[in-house]
Amino acid sequence: MELIKSDVTVIGGGIAGICAAIAAARNGLKVTLINDRPVLGGNASSEVRVHINGSAYHGISPSYYAREGGLVEELKLKIFHYNPLYNKKIMASVSDSVLLDMVYGEPAISLFLNTSVYETGMENGRIGWVDGLQLASERRLRFESPYFIDCSGDGVVGYQAGALYKRGREAKAEFDEDLAPDTADHYTMGDTILFQTRDVGYKVPFRRPEFAYDITKLDFFDSIRRGLNYRAIPRKINGIGGLWWLEFGGHLDVVRDNEDITLELRKLVYGIWDYIKNSGEFDDVDNVILDYVSPIAGKRESRRFVGDYMLSQKDLTEKPYFPDAVAVGGWAMDLHAARGIYDEGPATAWNFVPGLYNIPFRSLYSANVPNLMMAGRNISATHVAFGSTRVMATCGCMGQAAGTAAALCVQYGVNPSALAANHAPELQAALLRDGQTISGRREEPDPYFAEGLTVRASSQRAYSNAVGAEAVSLDKSLCLVLPVHTEHVESVSVRVRNQGAAAETLFVQLFGGDRKETYIPGSRLRSSSVDIAAGFDGWITLPLDCSKPADDKLYIVLEGTEQLAVYCNDDQLTGAVSFQYQPEVPAKLKKWSRNICFKDLLPAQNMYEPANVVNGYSRPYGLPHVWVSERTEGQEWLELAWASPRNVEELHLVLNPRLDLEHFNDPIETLIKDYDVILSLADGSQQRIEVRGNYLSLNKHPVGMQGITGIRFEFTATYGSPYYEVFAVKLYN
């Protein structure tokens, strides 16, 4: 038995475990990371091949700017940088190497792959050690540390330690959840084996293996046929991951019955592929091969441990204030059919979540095992709330929170429960410093740097979008959302066209919103109408005459006829958003790619001023909170200066990575690629930091210098945007 000692032991090398280990290591701890598979990534690895989804909810989140920050953001940007085809599920092994590189890049992390934890030792009610076995190397290992973070999905350590847990669905009355069943049961979400196909350019036959099903003889064959959607499916699955709804096992014990569930899914995968290839029901499949079938089932749900707080449905929909908020979620409450493919109902129910919500630290540690934290799909949440928190990007945010918390627990020598009670602000400050998103929280500017500070820039983008590229018909209602910071708003101009032979009426509805983190119209402020003459093509002024709403955003809904159109373009104006107005479908607010043109908003809004970079926000929240340059093809600069010298240990630059996107197949055009940092010193000298080929949104620069009187950023290239955009400049001493 080999003894491995560290400050914290993380069990599970999925996205949650990776983020927990890296966060702990970067905050000064010696870390052990144990994974029972040969690769990192869990369900996002090359073995299972699930996308890293999260709060951006496929890019249609009502919060719009909803993609996570922190380590999950770094991980996603690095995967794309090294594997631009990742989102198309090609070269998945490259993504494995990126995750390994991130972990191996932290000297304080000791990684143990192919290591299964088979026993947990308790000492005075605390976890003292866990024992692991590496079969291939014939090593038995004992891992000791004062704190443990269970990111194993199934919660193997928590279970062995006797931590309180739940399994199945809670009754409706237990947590007052209308999405829960009337009576509690043992049903969980099932497992899926994903597969990948590829067109090889010549005819390739397929013969069904003997163990696989002839799916035409199954009782639920008609349901499978409907799911395959007949002739569309071969094109859909060519080159990407296979059928997420091919799910089984939620009515069984997904831990104990793991092997039986996996075998059943294999029978279904090869049987379905046999039907696609050989039934004659599908076009264009002769040259398509079954290129990859996952060797293991991707799990959705098993044990959920009980913490000091159990996150439930109303926490996601009503968003109460959590003094210990440490991470965000935003995926729908995605509740799958209990019997999976055998269920007669729909595969899942996408229950609406109104944008970003916060997750409290009290849901990330055990209520009865004092030195155990958890992150991932095993946190303290009801089955209904878990339907949202279980996706991997959200799991990664929780992992970063747990790893950072471990560092503070070591620093103060306290249990996680005491940390939540007495040091939550310090935990939040550490997370915000490292780019974690906590909805509604900002970093309080340090008075040491704020006093006597002036911020200037070479230029500033006007708050307008005046170049109309296309007239879009108002046969469907469109909404223009304009953040405003003045207490009263008078009017705005839009460009319209009436291509009919008679006058048409443009109806205008004005709404206010309630929550700064979302783009959801709330109370109606006023309605009006404007008659548009036949053949008119030009700008009109819309009277607004209203006070600033609670969420700092005005929602201007334009309604008309097929003959009436408003001009739009593809220009991204951070903060100002346009969407098709569908009040009956609030989850689809963003499903539109154009932006309504506007100008002459009165009174004028100084929206993109340089001082925004030091206001404590690192993303839009009500207002855009960003500096944007004028349109340029050359160099622009941003400068901070003090009357008296300052000492700077570290400098962070936060750029705009298009937080409205969940995934991206092209470089993010708004990211600044090339820039220099020029540090001016009190003795008249300068130091320069050159950055070329940047692809990250959070750039940390160790400075470690005294007597700085000015910091100037010279920006020379983006990935395609004609504007330079900076959310924040953060300084630490």
Side-chain angles (χ1 to χ4, degrees):
M1 178 75 74
E2 302 174 46
L3 181 61
I4 310 296
K5 292 187 176 183
S6 62
D7 296 315
V8 62
T9 298
V10 180
I11 302 90
I15 301 304
I18 291 170
C19 291
I22 293 175
R26 291 182 180 178
N27 280 279
L29 298 192
K30 182 180 180 182
V31 182
T32 298
L33 175 59
I34 306 170
N35 193 37
D36 62 357
R37 303 300 303 170
V39 293
L40 294 172
N43 281 347
S45 72
S46 62
E47 290 186 312
V48 185
R49 305 191 181 188
V50 178
H51 281 118
I52 303 174
N53 292 321
S55 55
Y57 187 36
H58 291 317
I60 61 170
S61 167
S63 285
Y64 199 89
Y65 301 103
R67 194 170 77 244
E68 299 81 1
L71 285 172
V72 171
E73 177 75 357
E74 179 183 338
L75 182 154
K76 276 193 167 187
L77 291 172
K78 283 186 173 179
I79 288 176
F80 177 76
H81 178 71
Y82 288 101
N83 180 13
L85 299 178
Y86 167 76
N87 290 318
K88 296 182 179 179
K89 289 297 177 187
I90 299 174
M91 298 193 302
S93 60
V94 175
S95 302
D96 289 344
S97 67
V98 172
L99 300 181
L100 283 168
D101 197 46
M102 287 185 68
V103 171
Y104 287 140
E106 301 295 335
I109 299 177
S110 296
L111 174 62
F112 293 84
L113 296 173
N114 294 305
T115 304
S116 297
V117 171
Y118 64 89
E119 187 174 349
T120 298
M122 304 298 292
E123 297 174 344
N124 301 318
R126 302 171 64 87
I127 301 175
W129 43 262
V130 297
D131 285 346
L133 181 64
Q134 276 186 343
L135 281 174
S137 62
E138 299 181 351
R139 296 172 68 189
R140 293 174 62 233
L141 304 127
R142 174 161 292 181
F143 303 96
E144 290 184 357
S145 64
Y147 302 97
F148 294 81
I149 307 176
D150 191 333
C151 302
S152 64
D154 287 339
V156 57
V157 170
Y159 177 71
Q160 293 172 1
L164 297 172
Y165 73 93
K166 287 177 173 286
R167 176 175 171 266
R169 303 186 295 185
E170 292 82 9
K172 189 185 301 284
E174 187 172 354
F175 290 90
D176 190 22
E177 297 177 308
D178 59 24
L179 295 177
D182 291 332
T183 304
D185 56 40
H186 68 277
Y187 290 147
T188 62
M189 297 187 204
D191 301 354
T192 294
I193 284 182
L194 291 178
F195 59 89
Q196 187 172 329
T197 66
R198 180 162 57 94
D199 189 332
V200 296
Y202 54 88
K203 186 174 181 179
V204 180
F206 177 80
R207 180 174 297 172
R208 174 170 53 87
E210 292 297 323
F211 69 80
Y213 284 131
D214 177 351
I215 66 165
T216 64
K217 297 179 180 179
L218 298 178
D219 293 340
F220 51 91
F221 171 60
D222 285 341
S223 176
I224 291 178
R225 289 185 72 184
R226 287 193 299 271
L228 290 174
N229 198 23
Y230 291 101
R231 299 177 185 274
I233 194 67
R235 300 181 185 90
K236 180 179 179 184
I237 64 174
N238 180 25
I240 66 171
L243 313 171
W244 63 266
W245 48 264
L246 185 60
E247 181 177 350
F248 177 75
H251 58 300
L252 305 175
D253 185 330
V254 295
V255 177
R256 184 193 64 194
D257 299 325
N258 179 75
E259 297 306 311
D260 292 336
I261 293 169
T262 301
L263 176 58
E264 183 72 6
L265 287 167
R266 286 198 186 105
K267 292 178 179 180
L268 286 165
V269 166
Y270 287 100
I272 285 175
W273 186 247
D274 171 56
Y275 178 69
I276 290 173
K277 282 285 288 187
N278 299 321
S279 66
E281 291 283 332
F282 301 91
D283 296 332
D284 304 327
V285 296
D286 286 349
N287 298 349
V288 180
I289 65 169
L290 191 59
D291 196 40
Y292 180 85
V293 178
S294 174
I296 59 176
K299 287 189 178 181
R300 290 183 175 87
E301 180 182 12
S302 50
R303 304 181 183 104
R304 292 171 284 108
F305 291 101
V306 177
D308 277 350
Y309 190 88
M310 182 72 72
L311 203 68
S312 65
Q313 177 183 340
K314 287 188 175 181
D315 295 320
L316 278 56
T317 57
E318 298 180 4
K319 307 183 188 181
Y321 172 78
F322 291 128
D324 59 331
V326 291
V328 293
W331 189 260
M333 287 176 283
D334 176 11
L335 303 177
H336 286 227
R339 294 176 59 83
I341 195 72
Y342 294 97
D343 205 295
E344 294 182 358
T348 192
W350 302 93
N351 299 285
F352 178 60
V353 168
L356 292 176
Y357 58 83
N358 281 328
I359 299 170
F361 179 56
R362 286 166 294 156
S363 294
L364 306 187
Y365 60 82
S366 170
N368 69 311
V369 179
N371 63 335
L372 174 64
M373 287 179 276
M374 54 270 187
R377 58 184 176 86
N378 59 2
I379 70 158
S380 181
T382 66
H383 172 82
V384 172
F386 160 87
S388 173
T389 63
R390 65 187 175 85
V391 288
M392 281 184 283
T394 304
C395 292
C397 292
M398 295 186 286
Q400 181 170 355
T404 306
L408 287 173
C409 285
V410 169
Q411 177 182 335
Y412 289 109
V414 298
N415 292 329
S417 59
L419 190 75
N422 303 316
H423 301 282
E426 290 176 70
L427 175 57
Q428 292 169 333
L431 289 166
L432 290 171
R433 174 173 176 159
D434 289 332
Q436 180 90 311
T437 298
I438 305 174
S439 185
R441 302 298 201 279
R442 69 178 186 127
E443 290 187 79
E444 291 295 331
D446 187 340
Y448 174 73
F449 292 113
E451 184 180 356
L453 172 66
T454 59
V455 185
R456 301 187 306 131
S458 53
S459 66
Q460 176 181 326
R461 184 175 183 178
Y463 191 42
S464 66
N465 184 20
V467 181
E470 177 186 359
V472 177
S473 172
L474 287 174
D475 58 338
K476 295 181 179 178
S477 300
L478 301 179
C479 181
L480 169 63
V481 188
L482 295 179
V484 293
H485 59 68
T486 57
E487 291 304 315
H488 188 268
V489 187
E490 297 174 8
S491 62
V492 68
S493 296
V494 297
R495 185 181 174 189
V496 298
R497 184 177 76 183
N498 181 1
Q499 56 191 8
E504 299 284 349
T505 301
L506 172 67
F507 295 96
V508 182
Q509 296 188 75
L510 192 62
F511 294 87
D514 301 317
R515 302 195 64 96
K516 295 178 187 292
E517 78 277 6
T518 59
Y519 280 72
I520 301 178
S523 58
R524 188 194 307 270
L525 302 179
R526 59 173 295 178
S527 299
S528 61
S529 63
V530 182
D531 290 331
I532 310 296
F536 179 83
D537 189 336
W539 291 91
I540 62 171
T541 298
L542 304 179
L544 302 176
D545 191 24
C546 67
S547 299
K548 180 177 67 173
D551 73 341
D552 297 333
K553 299 187 287 289
L554 286 175
Y555 301 79
I556 305 168
V557 176
L558 306 177
E559 300 174 309
T561 66
E562 186 177 356
Q563 303 300 320
L564 201 57
V566 62
Y567 277 85
C568 304
N569 61 26
D570 294 323
D571 204 2
Q572 296 290 326
L573 190 70
T574 301
V577 170
S578 300
F579 53 78
Q580 290 182 352
Y581 181 60
Q582 299 172 290
E584 72 282 3
V585 192
K588 296 183 179 180
L589 289 178
K590 185 195 170 284
K591 278 201 168 180
W592 197 52
S593 61
R594 315 307 303 275
N595 293 293
I596 297 172
C597 297
F598 72 94
K599 68 176 184 177
D600 299 334
L601 181 61
L602 295 176
Q605 308 289 314
N606 191 20
M607 196 59 67
Y608 301 123
E609 62 180 329
N612 288 340
V613 302
V614 292
N615 69 7
Y617 288 101
S618 295
R619 64 168 54 213
Y621 180 70
L623 301 176
H625 301 298
V626 64
W627 166 71
V628 185
S629 74
E630 288 182 344
R631 189 180 187 95
T632 181
E633 295 181 359
Q635 176 179 297
E636 297 282 339
W637 54 263
L638 177 69
E639 186 176 80
L640 283 66
W642 295 269
S644 57
R646 296 292 187 270
N647 302 331
V648 180
E649 184 66 26
E650 192 170 60
L651 179 156
H652 293 183
L653 181 66
V654 185
L655 307 175
N656 181 358
R658 287 288 306 274
L659 295 168
D660 55 305
L661 305 174
E662 175 86 271
H663 305 294
F664 30 89
N665 293 317
D666 298 298
I668 299 174
E669 68 275 9
T670 53
L671 279 176
I672 298 175
K673 181 180 179 181
D674 300 333
Y675 66 91
D676 292 345
V677 185
I678 298 105
L679 306 170
S680 297
L681 304 179
D683 62 6
S685 64
Q686 290 185 333
Q687 297 288 331
R688 180 181 292 263
I689 302 170
E690 293 186 356
V691 178
R692 300 294 181 268
N694 168 63
Y695 58 89
L696 297 176
S697 56
L698 172 57
N699 289 259
K700 297 183 178 181
H701 296 291
V703 175
M705 298 179 66
Q706 299 181 349
I708 293 178
T709 57
I711 301 174
R712 181 183 175 100
F713 300 90
E714 294 182 350
F715 304 111
T716 53
T718 69
Y719 283 92
S721 173
Y723 306 96
Y724 294 102
E725 303 194 34
V726 176
F727 278 132
V729 176
K730 304 192 291 185
L731 302 171
Y732 303 97
N733 179 29

